[in-house]
């Protein structure tokens, strides 16, 4: 679909209607919790609305949206890491007895995330993590992933290979029999 | 064997992604603005904000009275009142009388002063005190009643 056709036929709301579910699923798998996923989706479509004139139509709209989502998520993750470090600093100075108790809903959500294999993927480096999401959650072809990430095809294959290898090593290190043993403690800093 | 394990891992990834998506379906997003209805970023409205703020400051500076321009005279130091008649009292209870005796050089400068109880220090620098609004009103009333002949009070 070229740019003119996109301009003529696809407005922003149509973009949302057509691609909301897949963008939301990718956001959910990337960040691991529904509340952050909603924010990522909203920000992704807002940016798409602002930048739609810059969309060249060289690729499918959903690959363009995935590209925006990954940038938004990377920024979100970096910002969250900064907050997390600040909170950790505050926590060390704070009386732990005055902590608030997490809600039951949130505890359930965190537990579900811990049981998901994607919580293990969240520990991988950004490049591998994003590639695995696009491949195994979103089902994109290698060529489409290369377009989204703006990397050569070989790089995509390499990231998938190394990402899966590293994921397997993590699982082995924590007990492969149950894949995700109960006592496994992963980096939940992004989910909590 | 290794290929089987890889397939199993990939299948597990696909299945877990589907389960997460099913567990937390996408919510209807808030309205997305169209191309002709885009939200204005702060950068785009910043000149307008700055211009409005500047205008408000100018208006405030022009119309709001400053302390020196208000009807209530600013409190002065004794140095300011060196050419004026200075009333001396010995405590807060003498505020009204003391202030009533002041004869300011300009319009309505009114103050209340008292000196230490030691009479030897009456002519020494006295202390100018702050007064509350009701007290000041009362002082002004007293001063207005006999402004031509300020009284120098003594204890």
């Amino acid at each position: 679909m070229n740019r003119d056709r996109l301009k003529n036929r696809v407005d922003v709301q149509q973009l949302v209607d057509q691609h909301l579910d897949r963008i939301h699923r990718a956001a959910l798998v990337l960040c691991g919790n529904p509340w952050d996923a909603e924010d990522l989706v909203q920000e992704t479509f807002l940016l798409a609305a602002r930048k739609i004139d810059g969309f060249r139509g060289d690729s499918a709209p959903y690959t363009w949206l995935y590209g925006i989502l990954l940038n938004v998520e990377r920024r979100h993750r970096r910002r969250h890491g900064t907050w997390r470090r600040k909170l950790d600093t505050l926590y060390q100075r704070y009386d732990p007895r005055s902590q608030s108790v997490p809600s039951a809903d949130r505890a359930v959500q965190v537990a579900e995330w811990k049981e998901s294999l994607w919580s293990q993927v969240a520990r991988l480096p950004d490049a591998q993590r994003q590639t695995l999401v696009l491949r195994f959650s979103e089902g994109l072809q290698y060529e489409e992933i290369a377009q989204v990430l703006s990397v050569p095809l070989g790089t995509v294959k390499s990231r998938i290979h190394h990402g899966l290898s590293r994921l397997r090593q993590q699982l082995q290190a924590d007990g492969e029999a149950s894949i995700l043993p109960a006592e496994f403690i992963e980096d939940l800093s992004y989910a909590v | 064997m290794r290929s089987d394990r890889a397939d199993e891992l990939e299948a597990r990834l696909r299945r877990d992604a589907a389960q997460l998506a099913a567990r937390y379906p996408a919510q209807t997003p808030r309205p997305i603005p169209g191309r002709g209805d885009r939200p204005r970023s702060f950068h785009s409205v910043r000149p307008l904000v700055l211009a409005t703020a500047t205008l408000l400051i100018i208006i405030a500076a022009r119309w709001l009275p400053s302390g020196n321009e208000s009807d209530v005279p600013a409190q002065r130091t004794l140095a300011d009142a060196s050419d004026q008649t200075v009333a001396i009292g010995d405590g807060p209870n003498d505020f009204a009388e003391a202030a009533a005796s002041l004869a300011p050089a300009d319009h309505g400068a009114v103050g209340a002063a008292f000196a230490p109880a030691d009479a030897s220090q009456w002519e020494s620098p006295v202390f100018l005190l702050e007064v509350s609004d009701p007290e000041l009103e009362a002082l002004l009333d007293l001063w207005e009643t006999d402004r031509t002949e300020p009284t120098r009070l003594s204890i």
Side-chain angles (χ1 to χ4, degrees):
Chain A
M1 182 179 292
N2 62 36
R3 179 181 173 186
D4 290 335
R5 287 177 64 194
L6 180 72
K7 274 188 171 180
N8 293 335
R9 296 186 181 182
V10 181
D11 65 11
V12 175
Q13 194 56 52
Q14 282 178 326
L15 213 57
V16 174
D17 294 340
Q18 291 172 0
H19 304 295
L20 172 64
D21 286 341
R22 63 164 61 206
I23 294 300
H24 178 267
R25 181 182 56 216
L28 189 60
V29 169
L30 280 166
C31 72
N33 65 76
W35 53 90
D36 280 337
E38 294 296 331
D39 287 346
L40 293 179
V41 169
Q42 188 74 20
E43 195 170 344
T44 297
F45 282 111
L46 276 173
L47 281 173
R50 290 177 190 171
K51 296 183 174 181
I52 197 165
D53 288 339
F55 177 58
R56 297 191 301 272
D58 297 336
S59 58
Y62 62 83
T63 59
W64 177 61
L65 289 172
Y66 279 133
I68 296 175
L69 171 67
L70 294 182
N71 284 333
V72 168
E73 193 267 345
R74 196 182 298 117
R75 192 166 63 239
H76 196 261
R77 195 178 175 91
R78 194 163 50 234
R79 195 187 316 144
H80 187 92
T82 305
W83 292 343
R84 178 78 183 180
R85 283 190 292 277
K86 289 179 179 175
L87 283 175
D88 284 346
T89 304
L90 283 175
Y91 176 77
Q92 289 167 3
R93 302 174 184 171
Y94 201 62
D95 181 1
R97 289 170 297 184
S98 61
Q99 285 184 93
S100 61
V101 178
S103 70
D105 282 350
R106 179 162 292 203
V108 169
Q109 288 164 344
V110 170
E112 288 170 344
W113 172 244
K114 288 167 87 171
E115 291 176 5
S116 166
L117 201 52
W118 290 103
S119 66
Q120 294 285 322
V121 176
R123 301 169 63 194
L124 299 176
D126 271 359
Q128 293 174 5
R129 183 175 60 87
Q130 293 182 342
T131 309
L132 290 185
V133 169
L134 293 176
R135 177 63 180 163
F136 298 112
S137 171
E138 303 311 299
L140 265 57
Q141 301 299 315
Y142 290 147
E143 292 80 5
E144 291 177 313
I145 297 173
Q147 277 186 335
V148 172
L149 299 176
S150 300
V151 297
L153 194 60
T155 304
V156 173
K157 293 177 180 177
S158 169
R159 286 180 182 177
I160 288 177
H161 172 75
H162 290 296
L164 288 176
S165 296
R166 192 158 173 171
L167 181 60
R168 200 172 296 114
Q169 288 170 4
Q170 288 178 187
L171 293 174
Q172 285 172 346
D174 293 295
E176 192 175 11
S178 59
I179 295 186
L180 283 180
E183 68 273 15
F184 184 80
I185 302 173
E186 77 281 33
D187 179 11
L188 277 178
S189 63
Y190 193 55
V192 181
Chain B
M1 179 64 181
R2 187 174 183 82
S3 175
D4 289 345
R5 289 171 61 189
D7 290 346
E8 182 186 344
L9 196 61
E10 294 172 12
R12 174 77 190 275
L13 284 170
R14 291 190 177 94
R15 189 172 66 244
D16 283 3
Q19 283 178 350
L20 279 174
R23 174 71 176 82
Y24 304 107
Q27 303 293 316
T28 303
R30 297 181 287 277
I32 300 292
R35 278 181 295 174
D37 187 27
R38 293 173 198 171
R40 304 177 74 178
S41 68
F42 175 71
H43 292 295
S44 67
V45 299
R46 185 166 54 185
L48 182 62
V49 171
L50 291 177
T52 305
T54 304
L55 188 61
L56 287 174
I57 291 171
I58 291 172
I59 291 173
R62 172 66 183 83
W63 292 106
L64 292 180
S66 68
N68 290 334
E69 294 172 344
S70 66
D71 293 335
V72 179
Q75 189 175 16
R76 297 186 165 204
T77 66
L78 282 177
D80 294 332
S82 60
D83 58 345
Q84 300 170 22
T85 301
V86 176
I88 300 175
D90 66 347
N93 291 334
D94 291 328
F95 279 178
E97 290 175 308
S101 70
L102 289 174
D106 54 7
H107 57 89
V110 175
F114 79 101
D118 185 350
S120 66
Q121 297 182 27
W122 284 2
E123 301 302 326
S124 302
V126 291
F127 305 94
L128 200 62
L129 302 181
E130 291 182 356
V131 293
S132 65
D133 284 349
E135 287 172 328
L136 189 56
E137 288 296 322
L139 298 177
L140 285 168
D141 289 340
L142 284 171
W143 180 64
E144 288 291 339
T145 59
D146 193 12
R147 59 188 305 171
T148 57
E149 292 185 15
T151 304
R152 184 184 180 93
L153 300 177
S154 61
I155 299 175

